[in-house]
Amino acid sequence: MGRPRGIIRRIADETSLDQATVRRSLAMADITEQDCEADFARAVEIVKGSADNDRVIGHAASGRGEGGTSSEYAAAKAEAERYRAEKMRLQNERLRGSLIDRASVTETYTRILGDLRTTLLAMGGKLAPQLIGQTDVRVIAKIVDTEMRDTLTVFADEQKFAEALDDEALG
């Protein structure tokens, strides 16, 4: 069951003010705790009337709790600060090279696929001189297969792909 709340705490709860604010207000009005016990409603009115509203609002906005609960302004201010911190984190990661602009990566990827398509389409003209006069299907298949593997190996080379990304996306 807990111990009973004191008069200062009850007034603070009733007025939604901090206990320190209640004590200051009562001290300014020269009212004792016994006077508050005798006439609770009057004590609440005195505290409400003598609390410095500017100070209460200012402390609530800065999160120091004079207002009893955090205000919408303080919550909005904290949310804005979280967004600012996240933006700085993303900017720092981008400067370190951990993040790359999505549009640049998409453009580079599209260019690489276009280069692959062009290379594969040009393969016929490149192989034609080697295939002239060939009648053996195995020899023709081997020539085409070798050229296809060589072409795809160039595009599958991780080092060359990383260099292309660095040159195009980061440059």
Side-chain angles (χ1 to χ4, degrees), residues 127 140-150:
L127 293 179
I140 293 171
K142 184 176 180 183
I143 292 171
V144 171
D145 186 55
T146 301
E147 183 62 29
M148 181 70 75
R149 286 181 190 278
D150 290 347

Side-chain angles (χ1 to χ4, degrees), residues 5 15-17 21 30 41 51 64 115 132 137 139 141 145 160:
R5 297 187 303 181
T15 58
S16 296
L17 294 172
T21 302
D30 199 29
R64 289 181 37 207
D115 290 351
I132 293 177
V137 173
V139 172
D145 186 55
K160 288 183 181 181

Side-chain angles (χ1 to χ4, degrees), residues 6 17 23 41 44 56 74 83 85 90 99 113 120 125 166 168:
L17 294 172
R23 289 185 195 283
V44 168
V56 169
Y83 284 127
L90 290 173
L99 294 178
L113 287 179
L120 290 176
D166 287 343
E168 297 294 323

